[in-house]
Amino acid sequence: MSETRPSRDAALFLHLVLGLSQSAMIALGKLMNPITRKVETDLEAARDTIDTLAALEARTRGNLAPDEARVLQQALADLRLNYVDGLKKSGGSAPPTEDPAGD
């Protein structure tokens, strides 16, 4: 049982990251909302989800397998780029205290 535990934990972690990433993409209007069956944009909700993933990355830094860290970093990079794109399209701007693009 101890040999399967790390792979189960890794799968659950990746499931969490991908689920949050999908939620952010729905909020960014990149995917259809499965409940309303519409493409909707909620940049505030997207930002909250991106910030949640960023906090997860900060809190787990140094404790993830290379594949887990790479998936999390890639998800964050993709979401940040899409968030900035969404801001440009909406005519908004990023808050002055944070840089959602991670630059």
Side-chain angles (χ1 to χ4, degrees), residues 25-26 29-40:
M25 287 300 230
I26 290 169
K30 302 294 181 179
L31 297 173
M32 181 183 67
N33 182 325
I35 296 169
T36 64
R37 298 195 180 273
K38 296 178 184 174
V39 174
E40 305 163 323

Side-chain angles (χ1 to χ4, degrees), residues 48-72:
D48 288 345
T49 306
I50 293 167
D51 288 348
T52 299
L53 281 167
L56 189 60
E57 179 190 37
R59 301 290 294 176
T60 60
R61 190 171 289 130
N63 292 313
L64 298 177
D67 287 344
E68 295 167 328
R70 185 173 47 253
V71 168
L72 180 54

Side-chain angles (χ1 to χ4, degrees), residues 20-21 23-29 41-55 76 79-80 82-84 86-87 93-101:
L20 287 169
S21 180
S23 293
M25 287 300 230
I26 290 169
L28 288 167
T41 302
D42 183 346
L43 292 178
E44 188 175 333
R47 180 176 164 205
D48 288 345
T49 306
I50 293 167
D51 288 348
T52 299
L53 281 167
L76 274 169
L79 290 171
R80 286 171 171 154
N82 279 287
Y83 177 79
V84 170
L87 280 177
S93 62
T97 57
E98 294 205 63
D99 182 5

